[in-house]
Amino acid sequence: MTNPAPTLSRDADTLWRQDHDHFLHPWAHFDSFAKDGSPVMNQSEGVYVGDVAGKRYLDGIGGLWCVNIGHGREEMADAIAAQARQLAYYNPFVDTTNVPATELAAKLSELAPGDLNHVFYSTGGSTANETAYRMAQFYWSCRGQPDKRHVIAREGAYHGSTYLTMSLGGRIEDRAPEFGYITDTIHHVSCPDPYRRPQEMDEAAFCDHLIEELEQKIRELGADRLAAFFAEPILGAGGVIVPPKGYHRRSWELCRKYDLLYVSDEVVTAFGRLGHMFASLDAFGVQPDIICSAKGLTSGYQPLGATIYSDAIHETISAPGKNRTFTHGFTYSGHPVACAAGLKNIEIMEREDLCGHVREVGPYFEERLNSLRELPIVGDVRGSHLMMCVESVADKATREPFADSLDIGGRVARHAEARGLIVRPLGALNVMSPPLIITKSQIDDLVAILHAALEAVQDKLVSEGAWHG
Ligand code: PLP
């Protein structure tokens, strides 16, 4: 990294200790955190990040599925600083606004598919989805159908970690028994995971099965009580699951047939990760009523969420003469500095044709990662473009999973980290979502390190007697 390391006010050990003693991290696992703490990151450039101890890593996860334009962009820092000087904050409530928020709303309306011409801002992906949920209820009430307030989501989905969005999610790993969840209005159908489909079904039969299940669920709950269906185009935290061909289009058609809003959670897939600004229509042929976005919207340089919704919804909720108030919003909705970052991010993406770049390097990334299938431990390599994962299994032929206690993904991640690569562990998976600017030679580096890490884990498991190989 050529960026100079900022001078630290404390030495690396003191920082590690302060973090360990005072910062409760998202998804903290208390026992391991108490023992190991965290590396403290402090530098970044392009596809690389560095910690306070001076170690450099290839950032295989783009921060957390979000640093799309890459780290350390000077012009982004300048745009943020300029907006902070010009107008750092003014409230957006009721009838005041600011320049970047209005310009970004117009730009997002131009980029989003079809008649998605209206934007509600929040502070991230959870609040973007929470907004979509509230908007769906508000919309149906305005249409004279206040009972339409139930929603359907999928097992394995991740939509955020507010009370509501965590209830919407369907990852069993996230359902800590110490927390409570909303169960009366939120319902789930099966995860569309082709790798873990029933053995007797091919992919087409599996797709039919999923669609039949969804239709049955709609009938069972009653279309007159259902407000919306929530779906990520590719399930991210659920294990980079690409549903079977035709699944999205057919579930969207069911939503049309039974009058449910289709909410596409594009918090990860939007802004280039799959080679398009938005994936719903361009990659999957679906025109949602609402798209939720965050992460790549600012490439993680500022916290921002955007719930982008249709003319039809807007005309209904804002119908004149009804004396209605949309009592929803946040102090930081349309934050000028965050919106300035969003505008600059899109400007960079368009100028450098990052979607075109992803369409070029994405298939190369898929192909190179697929070469890892030669390793006995690798059961599946899946995903699309720059959203990929490798699943380790105890038995390739039967797809038998490893016991959770072996922490396979964590082991692979630690071996990769020691060799200078960050890949995210999720059970026995390791997920990857590198910055979109990654080059083919950096992809080669990433795959070579991951190969070595997987081999090291294989050897260790065999030597421990925990695996036959
Ligand atoms: N939706 C999806 C698909 C996500 O992957 C995430 C976060 O990873 C969220 C929503 C929640 O976003 P945030 O953490 O910004 O609230």
Side-chain angles (χ1 to χ4, degrees):
M1 267 167 294
T2 52
N3 280 354
T7 315
L8 296 173
S9 56
R10 300 271 187 282
D11 63 41
D13 290 344
T14 307
L15 285 162
W16 184 94
R17 172 60 55 194
Q18 287 176 326
D19 177 74
H20 181 271
D21 292 352
H22 302 291
F23 180 10
L24 173 59
H25 292 212
W27 266 257
H29 180 260
F30 293 102
D31 292 341
S32 49
F33 187 75
K35 190 159 67 71
D36 303 330
S38 289
V40 183
M41 297 305 189
N42 198 39
Q43 295 177 60
S44 63
E45 185 181 34
V47 297
Y48 299 100
V49 287
D51 64 21
V52 289
K55 187 167 169 61
R56 183 178 100 139
Y57 308 85
L58 203 171
D59 179 12
I61 59 172
L64 190 61
W65 326 87
C66 59
V67 186
N68 290 9
I69 59 168
H71 295 278
R73 292 271 197 161
E74 285 288 333
E75 61 177 311
M76 187 60 131
D78 291 344
I80 290 169
Q83 184 58 46
R85 287 196 187 93
Q86 175 84 26
L87 175 79
Y89 180 75
Y90 195 75
N91 92 76
F93 275 60
V94 190
D95 57 4
T96 43
T97 187
N98 65 74
V99 175
T102 62
E103 289 183 348
L104 182 61
K107 185 69 191 175
L108 291 173
S109 302
E110 180 195 314
L111 295 174
D115 70 342
L116 302 196
N117 290 319
H118 307 273
V119 177
F120 189 93
Y121 292 115
S122 58
T123 50
S126 305
T127 46
N129 279 309
E130 180 118 8
T131 296
Y133 188 105
R134 295 203 73 207
M135 182 169 285
Q137 291 191 338
F138 194 89
Y139 166 75
W140 288 114
S141 288
C142 292
R143 294 247 332 236
Q145 293 173 275
D147 291 341
K148 272 171 90 69
R149 49 203 319 113
H150 291 246
V151 296
I152 300 178
R154 283 101 45 89
E155 288 160 6
Y158 184 74
H159 296 297
S161 81
T162 59
Y163 182 39
L164 189 144
T165 54
M166 182 53 86
S167 306
L168 207 50
R171 274 171 37 91
I172 21 170
E173 304 87 335
D174 292 339
R175 293 272 169 142
E178 295 84 354
F179 280 124
Y181 304 90
I182 300 168
T183 52
D184 55 347
T185 51
I186 297 178
H187 312 271
H188 292 91
V189 287
S190 300
C191 180
D193 181 357
Y195 187 63
R196 297 268 172 226
R197 68 179 185 268
Q199 270 181 353
E200 68 282 4
M201 291 183 194
D202 63 14
E203 265 202 50
F206 182 51
C207 187
D208 292 345
H209 164 77
L210 294 166
I211 296 301
E212 276 159 29
E213 183 199 7
L214 177 59
E215 183 155 24
Q216 207 180 323
K217 186 63 114 183
I218 294 172
R219 289 190 168 171
E220 176 194 314
L221 295 166
D224 54 343
R225 297 199 308 145
L226 282 165
F229 175 61
F230 278 72
E232 297 156 83
I234 293 181
L235 289 90
V240 189
I241 288 161
V242 187
K245 210 168 162 36
Y247 168 87
H248 284 307
R249 180 78 195 180
R250 291 172 68 190
S251 42
W252 175 81
E253 283 165 0
L254 284 181
C255 290
R256 285 284 168 278
K257 179 172 166 188
Y258 290 100
D259 234 0
L260 272 67
L261 295 179
Y262 187 100
V263 181
S264 189
D265 179 351
E266 289 227 39
V267 167
V268 171
T269 54
F271 302 103
R273 191 140 297 285
L274 303 183
H276 305 282
M277 282 297 195
F278 293 95
S280 300
L281 188 63
D282 288 347
F284 297 101
V286 164
Q287 172 62 55
D289 300 292
I290 303 178
I291 288 181
C292 301
S293 66
K295 294 196 186 263
L297 170 58
T298 61
S299 283
Y301 281 77
Q302 286 286 295
L304 183 65
T307 304
I308 312 168
Y309 65 97
S310 68
D311 285 342
I313 294 177
H314 193 72
E315 278 157 23
T316 300
I317 64 176
S318 66
K322 303 283 185 191
N323 191 29
R324 275 185 201 126
T325 302
F326 190 65
T327 51
H328 176 75
F330 310 97
T331 300
Y332 299 132
S333 289
H335 193 287
V337 179
C339 290
L343 282 167
K344 180 55 76 177
N345 181 59
I346 293 170
E347 182 197 313
I348 292 172
M349 286 195 65
E350 290 186 330
R351 192 179 67 226
E352 297 183 3
D353 187 21
L354 288 184
C355 287
H357 177 71
V358 173
R359 288 197 297 275
E360 196 204 322
V361 298
Y364 184 72
F365 192 40
E366 293 173 27
E367 182 198 316
R368 294 291 291 110
L369 281 176
N370 265 293
S371 70
L372 299 174
R373 285 178 186 272
E374 73 185 24
L375 293 167
I377 200 171
V378 173
D380 197 23
V381 175
R382 59 176 177 264
S384 176
H385 294 78
L386 297 187
M387 185 176 180
M388 297 292 294
C389 98
V390 171
E391 177 163 354
S392 297
V393 287
D395 187 316
K396 243 178 161 60
T398 62
R399 304 183 178 186
E400 182 196 333
F402 278 110
D404 287 347
S405 56
L406 286 172
D407 185 25
I408 299 298
R411 289 183 186 223
V412 174
R414 284 189 290 278
H415 277 279
E417 206 171 292
R419 292 165 170 80
L421 167 69
I422 299 177
V423 287
R424 187 156 173 247
L426 280 175
L429 317 184
N430 290 94
V431 303
M432 281 150 283
S433 53
L436 310 186
I437 53 165
I438 194 166
T439 62
K440 287 187 175 173
S441 90
Q442 290 164 338
I443 287 174
D444 290 341
D445 293 345
L446 185 158
V447 175
I449 298 176
L450 187 55
H451 189 282
L454 286 159
E455 264 185 338
V457 172
Q458 286 185 161
D459 293 348
K460 190 83 176 54
L461 287 170
V462 171
S463 72
E464 284 170 7
W467 187 52
H468 50 74

